[in-house]
Amino acid sequence: MTVATEPLESLTTNAGSEAVNPSSDVLRFGADKPLQLDAGTLLSPFQIAYRTYGTLNADKSNAILICHALTGDQHCASTNPVTGKPGWWENLIGPGKPVDTDRFFVICSNVIGGCMGSTGPASPNPATGKPFALDLPVITIRDMVRAQAMLVDHFGIDQLFSVIGGSMGGMQVLQWASSYPERVHTAIALATGARHTSQNIAFHEVGRQAVIADPEWQQGRYLEKGTRPSKGLAVARMAAHVTYLSEAALHRKFGRNLQDRDAPSFGFDADFQIESYLRHQGLTFVDRFDANSYLYMTRAMDYFDLAADHEGQLAEAFRGTRTRFCLVSFTSDWLFPTFENRAIVHALNATGASVSFVEVESDKGHDAFLLDEPVMTATINGFIMSAAKSRGLAQ
Amino acid sequence: MTVATEPLESLTTNAGSEAVNPSSDVLRFGADKPLQLDAGTLLSPFQIAYRTYGTLNADKSNAILICHALTGDQHCASTNPVTGKPGWWENLIGPGKPVDTDRFFVICSNVIGGCMGSTGPASPNPATGKPFALDLPVITIRDMVRAQAMLVDHFGIDQLFSVIGGSMGGMQVLQWASSYPERVHTAIALATGARHTSQNIAFHEVGRQAVIADPEWQQGRYLEKGTRPSKGLAVARMAAHVTYLSEAALHRKFGRNLQDRDAPSFGFDADFQIESYLRHQGLTFVDRFDANSYLYMTRAMDYFDLAADHEGQLAEAFRGTRTRFCLVSFTSDWLFPTFENRAIVHALNATGASVSFVEVESDKGHDAFLLDEPVMTATINGFIMSAAKSRGLAQ
């Protein structure tokens, strides 16, 4: 096991090179530390790209693991080297913020299967020297968490003060609490579910087929062939993006407003503002994300079903847990509606777990967990402060 | 103006030839009868493919016009010559059914812009002899209705006993009642809205971009080039199909059930039943529908905004109407939710119109209007019988 630290200054301008030569810290696991995958095989060697913020205290009791969502990455609280934009959760993480980096040591890693430096389908396959493409085994949420646990081991941390994430990140939080209950003091899961629903699988399948339908996808071997399935990936992103918003948010933001004109053009250009917005979302996404990683990430979410690992009894996934849970849902989130979150609360209650649950009134849809939602922020802040006090990490 | 009647026996096996050589009755309008389009140009010559069922009575008071939805056609109550399947609304239309063909003369035409024999993007452009492709002006709901009015004129019918349709068909119903109030005795609009919402435009834009992203689309000139954007169109259909169903219906029908196996395959084949169902929907659609027509139909719906034609006052679209209205929405229809239908009811009430409104409890989503929904059927039956009695068409 070796640790390589590339400087942040070595910025790259596309996801492809970031996948192979990341600008983050990288932890490499050699033949002595393979990653056991749910697909039944070992991944070895493999690497994890990660960022940390703040300082680990002497007794290593102040570590918080942040788990990113489908298209997120390790740059949760600092400028993203690919896009040049602020970290995706700077609302929540930073000095004096609810996840206070003056107080906590924050770790955020790119998930296995991702494209920001952790081993994924764009990484070289040691057996061939060429990119894995679809020869990488399918990755599950549990595989991601297993790799994160190895990263946490590397820091010598026995127990995380908290594991926090939304959407696919929330799935990882639940998996952490289920797989390693003694290693998770508190778990904060937002806008998520203990399984992916049929409708969610359906939307993911549409996105995958959009990628696969693009002839430049080349059976997944586009990196070798020098092509890029950008059009297909852009369509996939557009379809997904609609599901991240709510009808109310779209109506408020765009309505039926026309793009820079008073009357419709009677053509197929982007006439409505919502159309040009979506096209922009599609186009910018392909600059920062690898198409095969998109297939792997969506597949991991589709396969997630925590109850299925316990003969359909979700409560059994948390039996005997002493972790303190905080769950947050959003009224207009139709990908992970409140009733999916409530099912987790019921299961936790059935095991006698300590659980706080808040349904936040918001019209911002699924994406609300990434946005400035004061009730969410206050909930997380209060929950963390209370737990920190009981641990002597705050007064 | 000439009438050509091809026999139903001349069945074809794909939408392409059906578009050029339809197996339905066809009404051709020559240079003396151009179609005025909202895009500002005249369409001439043009043709309408249609089916009729039942017999027009002596005083021509028993005619019902059926308006089809996005991917529907004129074969509402008899076998579809392309798919070999029953007519798409045989639940509702036929001898002894709510739209009783023993009593009424039913007309159903393929909309202008369609691909089942009415003039559309696959039709030859008289100026070039080649298919119109995107040289056909954009078609609006009002254009479709204007063409239908010319078809109704052809039969010498002054007033339709009823105009009936769901979704895009419902938009046509509302447009008929607004454009030709004196020609519509009753109007039955199901699962529709007086405008297309931002979210609906967004999903349509995803579908259009999926088609356009397919290199075989060839800037729309695929028929000349001998290619077919089948993959793009299949993806578009898959995305749309998810929106026609409800989460509850998907959960009931498919849940997270796996396809012919006990454990996930850890691959990207259709592992879940919902995936293979969606792929099937995409693949069968491309056999019966023209990709450019899909662009035109979705655009027509996007442009529909009845209030916008009346300075934002929907009630003004129906001012002074004597038409009797029946509106039906479905609780799980998230494309045209009840509040969109209720906005129409409010506008009609504001004009003092006669309006019946029923929200049907159903978990079948938007597609419910095409299915056997007993409350919907009873509502339509009661409404039609009542109106027929007052007209002396029933006892």
Side-chain angles (χ1 to χ4, degrees):
Chain A
M1 183 164 69
T2 56
V3 180
T5 304
E6 281 88 6
L8 249 183
E9 284 67 31
S10 67
L11 297 188
T12 57
T13 53
N14 68 67
S17 60
E18 192 71 13
V20 178
N21 183 28
S23 53
S24 309
D25 294 335
V26 173
L27 183 59
R28 298 200 171 90
F29 294 89
D32 58 322
K33 294 270 190 185
L35 178 65
Q36 174 67 52
L37 300 179
D38 281 345
T41 54
L42 298 176
L43 185 63
S44 177
F46 76 100
Q47 68 179 40
I48 301 175
Y50 66 96
R51 293 295 314 267
T52 66
Y53 308 90
T55 308
L56 188 61
N57 63 9
D59 62 357
K60 301 188 175 183
S61 64
N62 71 334
I64 291 181
L65 179 71
I66 303 293
C67 301
H68 70 72
L70 181 66
T71 68
D73 50 48
Q74 65 271 37
H75 305 284
C76 61
S78 52
T79 304
N80 185 299
V82 175
T83 64
K85 290 187 176 170
W88 56 269
W89 229 357
E90 291 200 20
N91 286 333
L92 204 68
I93 307 166
K97 296 185 180 170
V99 179
D100 187 349
T101 50
D102 289 339
R103 192 187 305 270
F104 297 107
F105 177 62
V106 172
I107 309 167
C108 186
S109 65
N110 185 217
V111 296
I112 295 294
C115 54
M116 285 292 280
S118 292
T119 298
S123 304
N125 181 347
T128 64
K130 295 176 181 170
F132 271 112
L134 297 202
D135 289 339
L136 184 75
V138 159
I139 302 295
T140 66
I141 299 292
R142 188 156 54 186
D143 295 335
M144 296 173 185
V145 166
R146 220 180 265 123
Q148 288 161 358
M150 294 168 78
L151 173 64
V152 171
D153 287 341
H154 160 72
F155 286 106
I157 297 164
D158 287 332
Q159 188 187 55
L160 293 160
F161 172 73
S162 194
V163 186
I164 312 178
S167 193
M168 189 181 89
M171 291 176 168
Q172 294 162 61
V173 171
L174 298 173
Q175 187 68 61
W176 260 99
S178 180
S179 294
Y180 308 106
E182 74 291 349
R183 303 192 71 174
V184 182
H185 180 56
T186 67
I188 304 179
L190 316 170
T192 195
R195 58 165 193 180
H196 221 213
T197 65
S198 195
Q199 188 179 62
N200 289 356
I201 296 171
F203 277 118
H204 274 176
E205 172 66 2
V206 169
R208 284 190 295 265
Q209 291 302 316
V211 170
I212 289 170
D214 189 328
E216 298 212 9
W217 182 64
Q218 298 271 9
Q219 312 300 318
R221 294 256 157 238
Y222 49 88
L223 292 175
E224 291 163 60
K225 309 267 185 181
T227 60
R228 279 295 178 96
S230 300
K231 289 181 177 174
L233 183 59
V235 169
R237 176 61 168 180
M238 289 172 68
H241 198 82
V242 184
T243 71
Y244 300 153
L245 307 173
S246 70
E247 208 287 312
L250 285 167
H251 182 69
R252 178 169 40 75
K253 203 165 176 180
F254 305 108
R256 294 181 46 84
N257 297 337
L258 294 171
Q259 179 75 6
D260 299 331
R261 54 179 75 94
D262 296 329
S265 69
F266 290 104
F268 293 100
D269 287 342
D271 237 13
F272 295 99
Q273 289 175 12
I274 176 62
E275 293 177 296
S276 66
Y277 171 77
L278 274 185
R279 290 184 192 184
H280 176 76
Q281 294 297 327
L283 290 174
T284 55
F285 183 62
V286 302
D287 284 338
R288 74 173 178 89
F289 214 83
D290 174 62
N292 283 338
S293 262
Y294 195 76
L295 304 185
Y296 278 83
M297 295 297 99
T298 54
R299 206 49 164 165
M301 291 181 75
D302 290 355
Y303 276 160
F304 188 63
D305 186 354
L306 205 45
D309 299 334
H310 299 271
E311 295 174 347
Q313 300 300 314
L314 185 56
E316 293 303 318
F318 305 110
R319 177 66 60 203
T321 184
R322 283 181 296 178
T323 302
R324 293 172 61 176
F325 290 84
C326 174
L327 275 80
V328 176
S329 71
F330 300 89
T331 50
S332 59
D333 179 356
W334 55 278
L335 279 188
F336 294 97
T338 290
F339 73 86
E340 291 286 337
N341 289 264
R342 216 182 283 278
I344 305 166
V345 175
H346 288 173
L348 288 168
N349 284 334
T351 67
S354 162
V355 51
S356 305
F357 171 59
V358 174
E359 181 186 30
V360 175
E361 182 79 28
S362 165
D363 77 352
K364 291 175 186 157
H366 182 61
D367 265 359
F369 83 92
L370 292 168
L371 305 172
D372 180 24
E373 282 283 354
V375 174
M376 171 188 82
T377 309
T379 300
I380 293 171
N381 190 51
F383 180 80
I384 288 178
M385 284 306 288
S386 161
K389 280 177 188 162
S390 75
R391 284 247 134 174
L393 293 169
Q395 289 160 351
Chain B
M1 182 165 69
T2 55
V3 181
T5 305
E6 279 90 5
L8 251 182
E9 284 68 31
S10 66
L11 297 189
T12 57
T13 52
N14 68 66
S17 60
E18 191 72 12
V20 178
N21 183 28
S23 53
S24 309
D25 294 333
V26 173
L27 183 59
R28 297 199 171 90
F29 294 89
D32 58 324
K33 295 271 190 183
L35 178 64
Q36 175 67 53
L37 299 179
D38 281 346
T41 54
L42 299 176
L43 185 63
S44 178
F46 76 101
Q47 69 179 41
I48 302 175
Y50 66 96
R51 293 294 315 265
T52 66
Y53 309 90
T55 307
L56 187 61
N57 63 8
D59 63 357
K60 301 186 173 183
S61 64
N62 71 333
I64 291 180
L65 180 70
I66 303 292
C67 302
H68 70 72
L70 183 65
T71 68
D73 51 46
Q74 65 272 36
H75 305 284
C76 60
S78 52
T79 304
N80 186 299
V82 174
T83 64
K85 289 187 177 171
W88 54 269
W89 228 357
E90 291 200 20
N91 285 334
L92 205 68
I93 306 166
K97 295 185 181 171
V99 178
D100 186 348
T101 50
D102 289 338
R103 193 187 304 271
F104 297 108
F105 176 64
V106 172
I107 309 168
C108 186
S109 65
N110 186 218
V111 295
I112 295 294
C115 54
M116 285 291 280
S118 293
T119 298
S123 304
N125 181 347
T128 64
K130 295 175 181 169
F132 271 111
L134 296 202
D135 290 339
L136 184 74
V138 158
I139 303 294
T140 67
I141 300 291
R142 187 156 55 184
D143 295 335
M144 296 173 184
V145 165
R146 222 180 264 124
Q148 288 161 357
M150 294 168 79
L151 173 63
V152 171
D153 288 341
H154 160 72
F155 286 107
I157 298 163
D158 288 333
Q159 190 188 53
L160 293 159
F161 172 73
S162 194
V163 186
I164 311 177
S167 194
M168 187 180 89
M171 291 177 168
Q172 294 163 61
V173 171
L174 297 173
Q175 187 67 60
W176 259 100
S178 180
S179 295
Y180 308 105
E182 74 290 348
R183 302 192 71 175
V184 182
H185 181 55
T186 66
I188 304 178
L190 316 170
T192 194
R195 57 165 194 180
H196 221 213
T197 64
S198 195
Q199 188 180 61
N200 289 355
I201 295 171
F203 278 118
H204 274 176
E205 173 66 2
V206 169
R208 284 191 294 265
Q209 291 302 316
V211 170
I212 288 170
D214 190 328
E216 298 212 9
W217 181 65
Q218 297 273 8
Q219 311 300 319
R221 295 254 156 239
Y222 50 87
L223 291 176
E224 292 162 61
K225 309 266 186 182
T227 60
R228 279 295 178 96
S230 300
K231 289 181 178 175
L233 184 59
V235 169
R237 176 61 168 182
M238 288 172 68
H241 199 80
V242 183
T243 71
Y244 300 154
L245 306 173
S246 70
E247 209 287 312
L250 284 168
H251 183 68
R252 178 168 40 76
K253 203 166 175 179
F254 305 107
R256 293 181 46 84
N257 297 336
L258 295 171
Q259 179 75 6
D260 301 329
R261 54 179 75 94
D262 295 329
S265 68
F266 290 103
F268 292 100
D269 287 342
D271 236 13
F272 295 99
Q273 288 175 12
I274 176 64
E275 294 177 295
S276 67
Y277 171 77
L278 274 185
R279 290 184 191 184
H280 176 76
Q281 293 297 327
L283 291 173
T284 54
F285 183 62
V286 301
D287 283 338
R288 72 173 179 89
F289 214 83
D290 174 64
N292 283 338
S293 262
Y294 194 77
L295 304 185
Y296 278 82
M297 296 296 98
T298 54
R299 206 49 164 162
M301 290 181 76
D302 290 354
Y303 274 160
F304 189 63
D305 186 354
L306 206 45
D309 299 336
H310 299 271
E311 294 174 346
Q313 301 299 314
L314 185 57
E316 292 304 317
F318 304 109
R319 178 65 61 205
T321 185
R322 284 180 296 176
T323 301
R324 292 172 63 175
F325 290 84
C326 174
L327 275 80
V328 177
S329 72
F330 300 90
T331 49
S332 59
D333 180 356
W334 54 279
L335 280 187
F336 294 97
T338 291
F339 72 84
E340 291 285 339
N341 289 262
R342 215 181 283 278
I344 306 167
V345 175
H346 289 173
L348 289 168
N349 284 334
T351 68
S354 162
V355 51
S356 305
F357 172 60
V358 173
E359 182 187 29
V360 175
E361 183 80 29
S362 165
D363 77 352
K364 291 177 186 156
H366 182 61
D367 265 359
F369 83 91
L370 292 168
L371 304 173
D372 180 24
E373 282 284 354
V375 174
M376 172 188 82
T377 308
T379 300
I380 294 172
N381 191 51
F383 181 80
I384 288 178
M385 284 305 288
S386 161
K389 281 178 189 163
S390 74
R391 283 248 136 173
L393 292 169
Q395 288 159 352

